[in-house]
Amino acid sequence: MAAHGVVDGHSCEHPWVRVDATGTIVATGAGVPPTAANDTAFDLGHRLLLPGMVNAHSHAFQRLIRGKTHTLAAGNPDSFWSWRTAMYAAATTLDPDGVYQATRDCFAEMLAAGITCVGEFHYLHHRPDGRPYDQANALSQAVIAAATDVGIRLALLEVFYARAGHQQQLLPEQRRFCDASVEAYFARVDALRGRSSQQLTIGLAPHSVRAVGFDALVAIADYATRHDMVVHTHVSEQPRENRECHAEHGCSPTEILARAGLLARPRTFTAVHAIHISERDIELLATQNVCACPTTEADLGDGIVAADRLLAAGSNLCVGSDSNAVIDLVQEARLLEMHTRLATGRRLCLLSAQRQQLGPILWNIASTNGATALGRPDLGELSVGRPFDAVVCEPAYPKVADEPNAAFDAMMAAGTAACIRQVFVGGRRLR
Amino acid sequence: MAAHGVVDGHSCEHPWVRVDATGTIVATGAGVPPTAANDTAFDLGHRLLLPGMVNAHSHAFQRLIRGKTHTLAAGNPDSFWSWRTAMYAAATTLDPDGVYQATRDCFAEMLAAGITCVGEFHYLHHRPDGRPYDQANALSQAVIAAATDVGIRLALLEVFYARAGHQQQLLPEQRRFCDASVEAYFARVDALRGRSSQQLTIGLAPHSVRAVGFDALVAIADYATRHDMVVHTHVSEQPRENRECHAEHGCSPTEILARAGLLARPRTFTAVHAIHISERDIELLATQNVCACPTTEADLGDGIVAADRLLAAGSNLCVGSDSNAVIDLVQEARLLEMHTRLATGRRLCLLSAQRQQLGPILWNIASTNGATALGRPDLGELSVGRPFDAVVCEPAYPKVADEPNAAFDAMMAAGTAACIRQVFVGGRRLR
């Protein structure tokens, strides 16, 4: 029992939740809970009970270069593309144990920051020279092991990467990202799908329209439909990607993804970034998910997602920690709103007649909406039949007068993930 | 002695500082310090010793509406101007004790966040109906008392406010901001100047070109020159302010401030915000200070300061917590860089051949540069003869590998004021 919370999708006072031995919610309510045998009652006092956050886009190993790309001396990473050179250098060094350690450390920081499920957009597959490991999925298994050991739920978004770009020579550092063919990729995914569980789901991730040709996009759309899988793709993060797509296909990245059939099933496709997009692209993404990564998009000079227009069109907006320089979905969700204010000169950009308070809207973006994007409709809400994945927050951080709505708004509009005090996954307290 | 730090204006390893009984630095060095009688040695381990931060622009009482302006229900504050209505409502309720309490709570949060000196842009002067209190400076004295009780140094930027705008009727809520005349204002400032000390300095603050006519600007420039005072003004925060200035004066706010003589003495004038400015305005501000307040400027949809162009022109850039919804100069300094990346599509916008590492640049913006803007050249650096105003940080927050430069960069590029562990003002440890 807590002073306040979001339970059954609604903000309420004095919510309580009953969880069975499997970690599943068996009853919820507000006010004084009826006692039952075997109840272990937690009185959370003035704290706030919320669904665990869902991180819809991560590259865990990139945390290794946190703080190391901000000097003029270090290879001059003064653009997205030169930053990528520094990131590739880190990617080249990792063996399976290195991938495991970097991912475990990153996921542990996520869990402490209130993230109970992460979508790992995983593109390190083979040896640095491109030859497969003896175990073809050795690096994917290292990521799975890291998630298991930390206790965070994982949506492994297995990347297909085929080329540097249309008619461009593959860089040596990109060799380990590439499968021999889309069939070889599907064989790896088949093996991974066999390991699916409550803790692990597998999604498909054609890296970008730069790195994947049209035929492979069509094949991936077909495979995803047959196996009822979600698909995530980097979309229009940089203007150069759009220019190259127009040169190759005569249309935008979103349009070619639609043409390949990837946007046919509602809410199964997630466009990551979707910054440099047209009105037509917004229409195409109206029935799909858009994952913004505001701290990374600022760090890399990508630009500002048109969150207000995507929301008005009907897109499901979620957030990701992406490069993991910052791991804080409170900040990501806030900056989605704040960057939109900077771009439009207006306030309250993500509010609407239906949703009138900023705090719950931003939390929803950082939890429920991410769960949708990762194909986990069972997560992101505290209600009967779902796993108890939850966080307990100190809403008076930063301090405001003792009004629950203002405290929730202040936490999301001005606070950080430092507000998080307890974290539960599947009923187990992990922090 | 600390593992690393910025002492005498330079990043160094194993810095040490010796402080006398008055809180003044009497010796500095790097390596093993020579012991002296009466030395109390602090071994700060792997921590980072830095000059205390200087907050160049605050409205302390606005912290009262933190978290209370983000719902559609509450008077629909969907623009700067409707947010201002909510802020005016809070301003109207405060009596001298209310001003004291709100300011004390705000300053206490600042001190805990590593701010050792604050420029309070103070515009609540009289009773809500505009009549002076029996003590004409009752509310200014409440601010001074709050700073004294918290132990933070104060640059009281005493505001002159004369009108709602050119040929505009004063709003009832604005009455308490207004002095009867510029002479009445100078009389109040004369009295306050008599209280100046190491803890308290007085600056002048014609609120904005909207709220102050040309003749008063000239009189204030003259008074400031005669008494060697700094002047702070809100400049071009919103496009409407520029349009009104063009209608009244036929030029930009910065140009009319220059014409009034306020930009004549280098580094004595601070343009707060300076967002909607021209190339000509940037030239005029090249020898002056510009105070950005990125979290507030995002919250209010103001827009992005052209930090890279101002820096290239020669302006001294500093930061302020402004509305105090967020009190965290680590974030303010970072967002100055990050917003510039969003606006330009480039990285490392505030770096140059002379200054090649982001961490020290951002700390400098949050400390030394703010001290310059507040007319306190004795603050913002740890060197002999200056007061020991310092903070001790945990640079491994957020975590990176154990490289001091990367840790400092990560702290500034990805962390928050939560990295601050100890705070000293004038040699006294206050946190």
Side-chain angles (χ1 to χ4, degrees):
Chain A
M1 189 171 162
H4 308 282
V6 175
V7 173
D8 297 322
H10 302 289
S11 293
C12 54
E13 296 198 28
H14 305 298
W16 57 264
V17 169
R18 180 169 294 128
V19 179
D20 71 11
T22 72
T24 305
I25 297 171
V26 292
T28 64
V32 179
T35 49
N38 307 320
D39 257 20
T40 309
F42 291 95
D43 188 344
L44 302 172
H46 281 287
R47 293 180 167 177
L48 186 61
L49 177 68
L50 297 170
M53 289 193 277
V54 178
N55 185 0
H57 190 69
S58 159
H59 305 288
F61 84 88
Q62 292 181 10
R63 179 172 175 275
L64 291 173
I65 61 167
R66 172 187 284 169
K68 296 178 182 171
T69 67
H70 299 282
T71 76
L72 280 180
N76 197 21
D78 64 347
S79 74
F80 171 88
W81 304 101
S82 51
W83 171 87
R84 195 181 70 161
T85 304
M87 182 271 285
Y88 279 1
T92 308
T93 64
L94 294 169
D95 63 9
D97 199 48
V99 168
Y100 167 79
Q101 286 179 31
T103 306
R104 184 198 56 196
D105 293 351
C106 186
F107 286 176
E109 187 177 332
M110 286 182 192
L111 191 85
I115 294 165
T116 53
C117 180
V118 55
E120 177 66 16
F121 196 103
H122 175 66
Y123 57 88
L124 298 184
H125 298 314
H126 306 298
R127 294 181 205 267
D129 64 3
R131 286 177 305 127
Y133 288 100
D134 296 340
Q135 297 268 354
N137 278 317
L139 296 184
S140 299
Q141 280 160 5
V143 172
I144 294 169
T148 303
D149 291 353
V150 166
I152 198 170
R153 290 184 207 274
L154 174 64
L156 182 64
L157 304 166
E158 195 66 14
V159 169
F160 182 68
Y161 198 107
R163 60 185 201 179
H166 179 50
Q167 297 175 335
Q168 286 177 40
Q169 182 99 35
L170 203 66
L171 297 171
E173 307 93 306
Q174 294 168 332
R175 284 191 296 233
R176 70 184 315 189
F177 313 161
C178 297
D179 288 294
S181 65
V182 73
E183 291 75 23
Y185 165 68
F186 291 144
R188 285 201 305 103
V189 173
D190 287 340
L192 291 167
R193 284 195 301 115
R195 298 197 50 185
S196 299
S197 69
Q198 274 291 304
Q199 288 295 123
L200 171 67
T201 56
I202 310 295
L204 301 180
H207 179 278
S208 57
V209 302
R210 171 183 61 72
V212 182
F214 184 74
D215 292 347
L217 291 174
V218 172
I220 289 169
D222 178 58
Y223 185 99
T225 303
R226 277 189 287 122
H227 297 289
D228 194 22
M229 296 170 82
V230 298
V231 180
H232 285 226
T233 302
H234 292 127
V235 177
S236 298
E237 181 174 8
Q238 283 280 327
R240 181 171 123 186
E241 176 191 331
N242 281 12
R243 287 196 300 273
E244 292 180 359
C245 184
H246 274 275
E248 180 178 7
H249 300 293
C251 66
S252 74
T254 301
E255 287 172 292
I256 201 68
L257 292 163
R259 223 180 278 170
L262 285 160
L263 276 52
R265 295 175 298 136
R267 297 289 189 255
T268 62
F269 179 80
T270 300
V272 181
H273 305 304
I275 290 169
H276 303 283
I277 59 176
S278 67
E279 283 302 321
R280 174 68 187 137
D281 293 340
I282 290 177
E283 284 171 30
L284 289 169
L285 293 171
T287 60
Q288 298 297 348
N289 316 300
V290 172
C291 181
C293 308
T295 67
T296 298
E297 289 154 1
D299 184 349
L300 305 188
D302 292 333
I304 296 175
V305 178
D308 53 341
R309 292 189 293 145
L310 285 161
L311 194 67
S315 296
N316 176 59
L317 296 181
C318 55
V319 288
S321 63
D322 196 359
S323 68
N324 295 303
V326 176
I327 297 181
D328 183 341
L329 296 194
V330 172
Q331 286 193 59
E332 299 294 347
R334 168 166 75 254
L335 291 180
L336 188 59
E337 165 76 24
M338 292 300 172
H339 289 175
T340 310
R341 294 186 189 187
L342 285 173
T344 64
R346 307 289 302 171
R347 301 181 81 242
L348 311 186
C349 299
L350 305 183
L351 276 66
S352 64
Q354 291 73 44
R355 312 214 62 175
Q356 306 204 344
Q357 196 197 333
L358 187 64
I361 290 171
L362 295 186
W363 195 270
N364 209 54
I365 285 171
S367 58
T368 322
N369 295 7
T372 299
L374 294 180
R376 292 293 307 251
D378 56 328
L379 304 182
E381 190 176 302
L382 299 176
S383 58
V384 170
R386 295 174 182 234
F388 185 67
D389 287 11
V391 303
V392 176
C393 302
E394 176 53 62
Y397 181 90
K399 286 198 188 108
V400 287
D402 195 22
E403 296 174 28
N405 286 340
F408 194 4
D409 281 358
M411 185 179 96
M412 296 307 290
T416 70
C419 64
I420 286 155
R421 297 288 188 269
Q422 299 180 18
V423 182
F424 296 82
V425 180
R428 272 205 308 157
R429 182 166 171 193
L430 297 180
R431 184 196 160 183
Chain B
M1 188 172 163
H4 309 281
V6 176
V7 173
D8 296 322
H10 302 288
S11 293
C12 55
E13 296 198 28
H14 305 298
W16 56 265
V17 168
R18 180 167 295 128
V19 179
D20 70 11
T22 72
T24 304
I25 298 171
V26 292
T28 66
V32 179
T35 49
N38 307 319
D39 256 19
T40 308
F42 290 96
D43 189 345
L44 302 171
H46 282 287
R47 292 181 168 177
L48 186 61
L49 176 68
L50 297 169
M53 290 193 277
V54 178
N55 186 0
H57 189 69
S58 158
H59 306 287
F61 83 89
Q62 291 181 9
R63 179 172 176 273
L64 291 173
I65 62 167
R66 171 187 284 171
K68 296 179 184 171
T69 66
H70 299 281
T71 76
L72 280 180
N76 196 23
D78 65 346
S79 74
F80 172 88
W81 303 102
S82 50
W83 171 86
R84 196 182 69 162
T85 304
M87 180 272 284
Y88 279 0
T92 308
T93 63
L94 295 169
D95 63 11
D97 199 49
V99 168
Y100 167 79
Q101 287 181 32
T103 306
R104 183 197 57 195
D105 293 351
C106 186
F107 286 176
E109 188 177 331
M110 286 181 192
L111 191 84
I115 294 165
T116 52
C117 180
V118 55
E120 176 65 17
F121 197 102
H122 175 67
Y123 57 88
L124 298 184
H125 298 313
H126 305 297
R127 294 181 205 266
D129 65 4
R131 286 178 303 128
Y133 287 101
D134 296 341
Q135 298 268 354
N137 277 318
L139 296 184
S140 298
Q141 280 160 5
V143 172
I144 294 168
T148 303
D149 291 352
V150 166
I152 198 169
R153 290 185 207 274
L154 174 65
L156 182 64
L157 303 166
E158 195 66 14
V159 170
F160 181 68
Y161 199 107
R163 59 185 202 177
H166 180 51
Q167 296 175 337
Q168 286 175 40
Q169 182 97 37
L170 203 64
L171 297 171
E173 306 93 305
Q174 294 168 332
R175 283 190 295 234
R176 71 186 313 191
F177 313 160
C178 297
D179 287 295
S181 65
V182 73
E183 291 74 24
Y185 164 69
F186 291 144
R188 285 200 306 104
V189 173
D190 286 339
L192 290 167
R193 285 195 300 114
R195 299 197 48 187
S196 298
S197 69
Q198 274 292 306
Q199 288 295 123
L200 172 68
T201 56
I202 311 293
L204 301 180
H207 178 278
S208 56
V209 301
R210 172 184 59 73
V212 181
F214 184 75
D215 292 346
L217 291 175
V218 172
I220 289 169
D222 178 60
Y223 185 99
T225 303
R226 276 189 285 121
H227 299 287
D228 193 22
M229 296 169 83
V230 297
V231 180
H232 285 227
T233 301
H234 292 127
V235 177
S236 298
E237 180 173 9
Q238 283 279 326
R240 182 171 123 186
E241 177 190 331
N242 281 12
R243 288 195 301 272
E244 291 180 359
C245 185
H246 274 275
E248 181 178 5
H249 300 293
C251 67
S252 73
T254 301
E255 287 172 292
I256 200 69
L257 291 164
R259 222 179 280 169
L262 285 160
L263 275 54
R265 294 175 298 138
R267 297 288 190 253
T268 62
F269 179 80
T270 299
V272 180
H273 306 303
I275 291 170
H276 303 283
I277 58 175
S278 67
E279 283 303 321
R280 174 69 187 137
D281 293 340
I282 290 176
E283 284 170 29
L284 289 169
L285 292 172
T287 58
Q288 297 297 348
N289 316 300
V290 172
C291 181
C293 308
T295 68
T296 298
E297 288 154 2
D299 185 349
L300 305 189
D302 291 334
I304 297 174
V305 177
D308 53 342
R309 291 189 293 144
L310 284 160
L311 194 66
S315 296
N316 176 58
L317 296 181
C318 55
V319 287
S321 63
D322 196 359
S323 68
N324 294 304
V326 177
I327 296 181
D328 183 341
L329 296 193
V330 173
Q331 286 193 60
E332 300 295 347
R334 168 164 77 255
L335 292 179
L336 189 59
E337 166 75 25
M338 293 300 172
H339 289 175
T340 310
R341 294 186 189 188
L342 285 173
T344 63
R346 306 290 302 171
R347 301 182 82 244
L348 311 185
C349 299
L350 305 183
L351 277 65
S352 65
Q354 291 73 44
R355 312 215 60 174
Q356 305 203 346
Q357 196 196 335
L358 187 64
I361 289 171
L362 295 185
W363 195 270
N364 209 55
I365 285 171
S367 58
T368 322
N369 295 6
T372 299
L374 295 180
R376 292 295 305 252
D378 55 329
L379 304 182
E381 191 176 301
L382 300 176
S383 58
V384 170
R386 295 174 182 234
F388 185 66
D389 287 10
V391 302
V392 176
C393 302
E394 176 53 61
Y397 182 91
K399 286 198 187 106
V400 286
D402 196 22
E403 295 174 29
N405 285 341
F408 194 4
D409 281 358
M411 184 178 96
M412 297 307 288
T416 69
C419 63
I420 286 154
R421 296 288 189 271
Q422 298 179 19
V423 181
F424 297 81
V425 180
R428 272 205 308 157
R429 181 165 172 195
L430 297 181
R431 183 197 160 182

